[in-house]
Amino acid sequence: MMNKKKLPELLAPAGTPNALRAALEAGADAVYFGGPSFHARMRAQNFTKETMRESIALCHAFGVRAYITLNTLVTDRELPAFLEAAWEAREAGADALIVADLGGAAAIHRAMPDMELHASTQASGHSVHAARELAALGFSRMVLAREASAENMKTFVQGCGMETEVFVHGALCVSHSGQCLFSSLVGGRSGNRGECAQPCRLPDKSGKYPLSLKDLSLARHVPALIDMGVHSLKIEGRLKSPEYVRDVVRIWRRLLDERRAATDAEMQELAAIFSRGGFTDAYFTDRVGRGMLGVRSEENKEQSRASTPFAELTRRVPLTMHFTMQKDAPLSLSVTRGEKTVTVTGDIPFVANTTPLSEEAVKEKLTRLGGTPYVAESLTVTMDSGLMVPISRLNALRRAALEALDANDRAMIDLPRYIPQKPTGLRPQAPTARFEHTAQISAEAKHYFEHIYLPLDRYAPEADGVVMPAVIFDSEREKVASMLKKAVERGAKHALVGNVAHLSLVREAGLIPHGDFRLNVTNSEALSFLLSLGFADVLLSAELTLPQIRDLKGSADAIIYGRVPLMTLEKCAGKEVGSCAACEKGENALTDRRGEKFPVLQHYPHRSVIVNSRPTYMADKARELAATGITGGHFIFTVETASEVKRVISDYQNGAPPKGAVRRI
């Protein structure tokens, strides 16, 4: 029996106005694109204020929703401009804003509570409880992590309480979105701020590509996606050409309308449009492995060049029109598009001295819709005989009707004045630290650090706190709850929490929650929101500079020592650069083309975490740190031995300069 469930929305990317027209030509239900600023594809051509407004009106003419991306992290000083960008998108008629920054979302929701918000995949949402926490910020939709299996996707759709959007086609980041600092901390181009340099696509020192994934395609799973009740299917590609957008959307439109999976021939057609040695569905099918890796070959590039250039938008929107001209009454023109009808009035006609206006002339002028997305499907005319108006007045009536039809129906508001939030609470005054293993925890460490954290799955009484896993899918929640219970029984009292979805687990276990750097806090709004949820304090984003940290006068701390985790991978990187045994011992490392070695660690349950080749080091910068308000600071010990930990503590006590290559805040 044919699946009669409602079809998901087909959501297409648009990096340029021409790509947007290509999406409309191919039959997209919704389009997402960036305005002039604050979005995760700053290298795309993107849209000016004027082209954004025009493009949204064009989308609405076709009955297509338009979502504007504001999905980058923002600092305190940028928040007023961020709010202005949100207001401009709202005034232009945007149907929703795609937002990643929790503080940015809080500011928008407070100023414009009627604005629909979608939580970007950069917000690191991967479970039902993430959606429940995000709802408090006004989010009505969450983009689920690409790494979710079919089982976890189904659980999320059934229990999240909001609309679910999933990526179904296009490029895959090897790291969990929102959890990649590689481009930022190593190359100075922040992926969280729309400037990713894609280091994962580069070869390592041996010439291999251990981090480059094939593109995602779930085209063989269309019936399953429909059956789950997923609300929106998202195609990646705001850096892609109009031809890519048109051709990929066209195939997905056909599959959805026919409620079926792609054939082998259609998969080959999709691969010819763009691929990196084929596609992967390994996350969805829960078969994560080496077969996911892929690079773009010369043959792939040659196939893409063969696509037919996109020329113009040929589709037209049918209009039903009715014109009335009666004696002693204003001209009237009603126009209907779908469920929307507008009526405009014009001049009062006068009695013709010679040749009265004919019905043929009326029809010819009113159906002249060139240069618009419309075509007159029908025009009925009711007119008294012997009357006349200048032809220019008919043209003006037609233009007025189309302007009314395209008008933004949302109530206009003044640009809200941004009122900064002031986080309450004091910054931690004593240093804290996390370790990979108990063997690293020296007597000096126990004396020096106020709180010591160990990974939850390796917790021992030498520490008083646990580091929560970076990712906990719904299928893993019960196991994590059990580990938390055991940790509490063994003496754990605190928890470093890197995702709002995990806060409820920590509360239920009776632990005091402290916000981890993975929460990507870069502004006071985000800090205030997290403190309101019950966090005792928060570690700020590792991307912040000292002046930006100074701006955040609240209950927050910063990483002042250690190899900061750069990537969290569902795909095992350890097997690509070494062995599982070496990974467990912390002996695996990714060596880049310059010879820099990035240690690869194994975290629960079998995720790879790649940490920086150089430790952050600020022992000789105590005065600079104090000027920002930081008197405590957080330390990350990954591959250090107990004796090296002892040396680091001594260096910080004595303000010693660095002894090798380091990273500065």
Side-chain angles (χ1 to χ4, degrees), residues 43 171-176 180-184 186 196-204 208-214 276 292-296 566-567 569 573 590 592-593 598 610:
R43 287 187 294 127
L172 278 175
C173 295
V174 69
S175 174
H176 274 266
C180 184
L181 299 175
F182 211 127
S183 179
S184 176
V186 178
C196 182
Q198 296 188 310
C200 56
R201 299 296 183 190
L202 299 175
D204 63 11
K208 296 180 180 179
Y209 293 82
L211 300 180
S212 182
L213 297 184
K214 294 176 180 177
R276 291 181 169 89
M292 299 176 69
L293 297 178
V295 295
R296 189 146 166 77
L566 301 178
M567 286 183 169
L569 290 72
L590 172 72
D592 71 6
R593 296 175 301 169
F598 299 84
I610 299 174

Side-chain angles (χ1 to χ4, degrees), residues 369-380:
L369 301 175
T372 77
Y374 302 116
V375 61
E377 185 175 60
S378 66
L379 169 60
T380 58

Side-chain angles (χ1 to χ4, degrees), residues 429-493:
Q429 299 299 303
T432 60
R434 78 185 72 193
F435 295 82
E436 283 293 305
H437 302 282
T438 54
Q440 298 170 296
I441 304 175
S442 62
E444 290 80 4
K446 292 180 182 179
H447 177 75
Y448 185 70
F449 297 113
E450 181 178 26
H451 298 304
I452 290 176
Y453 300 91
L454 281 167
L456 175 60
D457 59 318
R458 300 172 200 160
Y459 179 75
E462 285 84 351
D464 65 343
V466 299
V467 182
M468 294 293 286
V471 177
I472 305 171
F473 283 114
D474 287 309
S475 59
E476 300 166 339
R477 188 176 174 89
E478 187 175 336
K479 174 64 175 176
V480 170
S482 176
M483 289 192 292
L484 279 170
K485 182 179 179 181
K486 291 178 181 177
V488 170
E489 290 172 352
R490 299 186 69 192
K493 293 181 175 60

Side-chain angles (χ1 to χ4, degrees), residues 60-368:
H60 290 170
F62 281 89
V64 170
R65 286 168 64 82
Y67 307 143
I68 302 302
T69 55
L70 289 170
N71 55 344
T72 62
L73 299 181
V74 291
T75 64
D76 265 21
R77 298 191 182 194
E78 294 170 331
L79 275 168
F82 180 82
L83 192 63
E84 182 175 358
W87 175 80
E88 288 171 351
R90 180 192 181 280
E91 298 300 280
D95 294 288
L97 304 178
I98 303 174
V99 182
D101 191 292
L102 300 185
I108 293 171
H109 188 54
R110 190 169 65 249
M112 293 165 266
D114 66 336
M115 193 67 235
E116 186 174 322
L117 298 179
H118 297 174
S120 167
T121 186
Q122 291 291 119
S124 301
H126 52 255
S127 68
V128 166
H129 285 78
R132 293 176 182 174
E133 298 290 354
L134 291 173
L137 286 173
F139 287 107
S140 60
R141 178 188 294 192
M142 191 181 97
V143 186
L144 185 62
R146 291 172 172 92
E147 294 81 2
S149 66
E151 175 193 356
N152 281 307
M153 191 179 293
K154 184 176 181 179
T155 299
F156 182 82
V157 173
Q158 292 175 345
C160 68
M162 62 171 60
E163 293 178 356
T164 306
E165 181 176 302
V166 298
F167 278 95
V168 294
H169 197 94
L172 278 175
C173 295
V174 69
S175 174
H176 274 266
S177 293
Q179 299 299 308
C180 184
L181 299 175
F182 211 127
S183 179
S184 176
L185 299 194
V186 178
R189 288 173 53 180
S190 172
N192 286 327
R193 289 173 62 80
E195 299 172 339
C196 182
Q198 296 188 310
C200 56
R201 299 296 183 190
L202 299 175
D204 63 11
K205 191 173 184 180
S206 69
K208 296 180 180 179
Y209 293 82
L211 300 180
S212 182
L213 297 184
K214 294 176 180 177
D215 276 18
L216 164 72
S217 186
L218 300 184
R220 291 197 186 275
H221 303 284
V222 170
L225 293 166
I226 295 172
D227 189 59
M228 283 182 194
V230 173
H231 185 86
S232 182
L233 305 184
K234 188 172 196 172
I235 296 169
E236 184 276 338
R238 282 196 288 140
L239 294 178
K240 298 292 201 307
S241 68
E243 291 76 22
Y244 172 91
V245 174
R246 174 199 61 198
D247 295 342
V248 171
V249 171
R250 175 172 48 81
I251 293 173
W252 272 90
R253 178 76 274 156
R254 182 168 68 235
L255 297 177
L256 278 173
D257 289 345
E258 297 176 9
R259 298 174 179 263
R260 63 174 177 83
T263 63
D264 289 345
E266 286 167 326
M267 293 304 298
Q268 291 171 4
E269 189 178 356
L270 286 167
I273 297 166
F274 189 97
S275 83
R276 291 181 169 89
F279 297 110
T280 181
D281 61 359
Y283 290 138
F284 187 82
T285 58
D286 205 13
R287 293 184 295 184
V288 177
R290 184 166 290 170
M292 299 176 69
L293 297 178
V295 295
R296 189 146 166 77
S297 66
E298 287 303 318
E299 181 183 357
N300 295 152
K301 296 174 185 177
E302 190 61 34
Q303 286 178 322
S304 296
R305 295 189 193 105
S307 63
T308 303
F310 174 71
E312 60 180 340
L313 178 58
T314 62
R315 287 181 61 205
R316 291 292 180 265
V317 180
L319 299 182
T320 300
M321 309 173 75
H322 180 72
F323 172 75
T324 302
M325 183 170 71
Q326 295 176 321
K327 186 178 179 180
D328 299 328
L331 301 176
S332 173
L333 177 62
S334 294
V335 179
T336 299
R337 179 191 69 202
E339 297 181 356
K340 183 175 182 179
T341 298
V342 297
T343 300
V344 294
T345 57
D347 294 357
I348 297 175
F350 53 87
V351 176
N353 291 327
T354 54
T355 306
L357 190 64
S358 68
E359 183 173 330
E360 291 72 21
V362 168
K363 288 185 175 180
E364 192 274 328
K365 297 302 178 185
L366 293 184
T367 60
R368 188 180 289 179

